[in-house]
Amino acid sequence: MAVNRAERKRAAMRAGLAAEGPYVAVGAHDAMSSQLIEAYGFDAVWVSGFGIATMTHALPDLNLTTMTETLAASVRIDGATDLPVLADCDNGFGGLTNVVRTVVEFERAGIAGVCIEDNLFPKRNSLYTGESKRELIPTEEQARRIRAGKNAQETDSFVLVARVEALIAGHGVEAACERADAYVEAGADAILIHSKDKSLQEIEGFLAGWDGLGRTPLVAVPTLFPDYTDHELYQKGFQMVILANHPMRAAVQAMEQTLDVLRSERKAAAVDPHIASVDHVFELVKTKETIALEETGG
C-alpha cells in the first residue's frame, strides 16, 4: 500500500530520532528558507516560532502569534520541502484544550510533529536576556496537557516533543529531571532541554542526573552554547540538534546591509555584486520548468 507524504515524513523523523548519529534540523521562517535547508543537506526543518513572529508579523516572540497563524506558516514551509517538519508551537497557545486542538490541527495538516513547552501563557522567549518575570506551568498540569494531546492523535507516527524550561527559569537540575520524567510518562516522544549556561554545566548536570537518558530521545537547541558541533552534542546524549534561527538572523543582517548601501549610494548597481541575481531566484523556484509545463503540457 502506498504511504502518503505526511507518513513518509513522520517515519523519517522517527528514524532520525533513533539513528546512530545526530539528526540535525535548521529553523525556517518561510517557504524559501525551508527549500534552501533541504538543498544544503540537512535532515529536518524546524518551524521557528521566533522566526514566524519576527519575519512574518514583525512581532516579539511573546505568544502574540496565534495557532492558526503558526499553522498557516508551517503548512507553507512543509509544502516547500520533502524534509520532515517539526513545528515550534510554544505552549500550545493556551490551556489543555488549546494544546489538544494544536496537536489535532497540525497532525491533520500533515506536519511531522510539534514541540510544546512548559512556559506559562504568555510565554517569554528563552533567548531574551533582559529582566523578565518567567513562570512555568505546574509539572502535573503540563503532563496532563501532553497526555491529552497524545490521546488526541489519529496516528501513532505524529511526534510530540516536550520542551523543558526549568533550567531557563532557574529552577535547577532536579526540577528539570522531574519535569522530563513526568512528560515522558505522559507520552512525550522526545524531550527538549534548554539552558542559558554557555559552559554547558547545567546541561551536563541534567545529563548526569536524568534516568531517561538513552531511552527517550533528547533534543538540543545550541543557540546559547554554539561552540559545540552536532557530533559533540550527540556524544553527550543528544539525538536531535536544532539550529533554530540562523537563516532568519542571516536574512535580517543581509537586508540591513543592503538597505544601508542603497541609502548611501542611491543606485541598484552598488549592491548587485553582493546579492542573489534575479536569475538565481528564478532557478530556485523552477521558473523555467514551470513555463515549459504551461506551454507544452509536459
Side-chain angles (χ1 to χ4, degrees), residues 206-257:
F206 175 84
L207 295 173
W210 187 46
D211 292 336
L213 190 64
R215 296 198 301 272
T216 301
L218 268 184
V219 183
V221 182
T223 308
L224 295 173
F225 37 97
D227 292 329
Y228 295 88
T229 68
D230 53 352
H231 284 278
E232 287 171 334
L233 291 168
Y234 176 76
Q235 291 299 322
K236 290 179 180 296
F238 288 102
Q239 184 63 45
M240 185 176 190
V241 177
I242 300 174
L243 306 174
N245 49 55
H246 300 80
M248 175 197 78
R249 289 157 57 193
V252 169
Q253 179 169 303
M255 287 189 286
E256 288 179 335
Q257 290 172 343

Side-chain angles (χ1 to χ4, degrees), residues 171-189:
H171 293 185
V173 169
E174 185 177 350
C177 291
E178 289 174 359
R179 284 179 176 270
D181 284 338
Y183 302 165
V184 170
E185 186 179 346
D189 299 296

Side-chain angles (χ1 to χ4, degrees), residues 5 8-10 12-13 23-26 33-46 77-86 110 112:
R5 185 173 185 268
R8 284 198 305 272
K9 289 190 175 194
R10 291 169 187 160
M13 179 166 285
Y23 185 61
V24 182
V26 178
S33 53
S34 173
Q35 181 178 305
L36 289 171
I37 289 163
E38 179 179 348
Y40 278 84
F42 292 97
D43 301 315
V45 173
W46 166 256
I77 287 168
D78 184 67
T81 180
D82 287 328
L83 296 179
V85 169
L86 180 65

Side-chain angles (χ1 to χ4, degrees), residues 27-203:
H29 54 274
D30 60 13
M32 176 57 73
S33 53
S34 173
Q35 181 178 305
L36 289 171
I37 289 163
E38 179 179 348
Y40 278 84
F42 292 97
D43 301 315
V45 173
W46 166 256
V47 176
S48 166
F50 180 26
I52 300 306
T54 301
M55 302 298 278
T56 303
H57 300 282
L59 290 170
D61 184 24
L62 301 172
N63 270 143
L64 296 175
T65 47
T66 66
M67 187 274 285
T68 51
E69 288 170 338
T70 303
L71 178 60
S74 299
V75 168
R76 289 193 296 271
I77 287 168
D78 184 67
T81 180
D82 287 328
L83 296 179
V85 169
L86 180 65
D88 177 12
C89 289
D90 294 338
N91 40 28
F93 307 102
L96 183 145
T97 50
N98 299 90
V99 170
V100 169
R101 186 184 177 211
T102 296
V103 169
V104 168
E105 296 290 349
F106 277 75
E107 183 187 23
R108 288 178 179 173
I111 308 302
V114 294
C115 180
I116 295 177
E117 66 193 47
D118 49 14
N119 268 314
L120 197 66
F121 189 97
K123 62 165 284 185
R124 297 292 182 262
N125 186 288
S126 301
L127 306 178
Y128 180 64
T129 56
E131 291 297 321
S132 174
K133 185 178 181 182
R134 187 180 294 279
E135 297 181 8
L136 302 184
I137 298 164
T139 304
E140 297 78 8
E141 172 59 20
Q142 184 67 359
R144 200 170 71 95
R145 295 180 185 191
I146 291 168
R147 185 175 292 108
K150 290 298 295 181
N151 288 340
Q153 287 182 206
E154 296 176 351
T155 67
D156 293 331
S157 55
F158 186 75
V159 175
L160 194 157
V161 177
R163 176 165 168 166
V164 176
E165 291 283 292
L167 299 180
I168 292 285
H171 293 185
V173 169
E174 185 177 350
C177 291
E178 289 174 359
R179 284 179 176 270
D181 284 338
Y183 302 165
V184 170
E185 186 179 346
D189 299 296
I191 295 293
L192 193 162
I193 184 70
H194 212 15
S195 171
K196 289 185 178 181
D197 180 9
K198 293 186 178 182
S199 73
L200 228 61
Q201 196 168 7
E202 270 191 334
I203 293 286

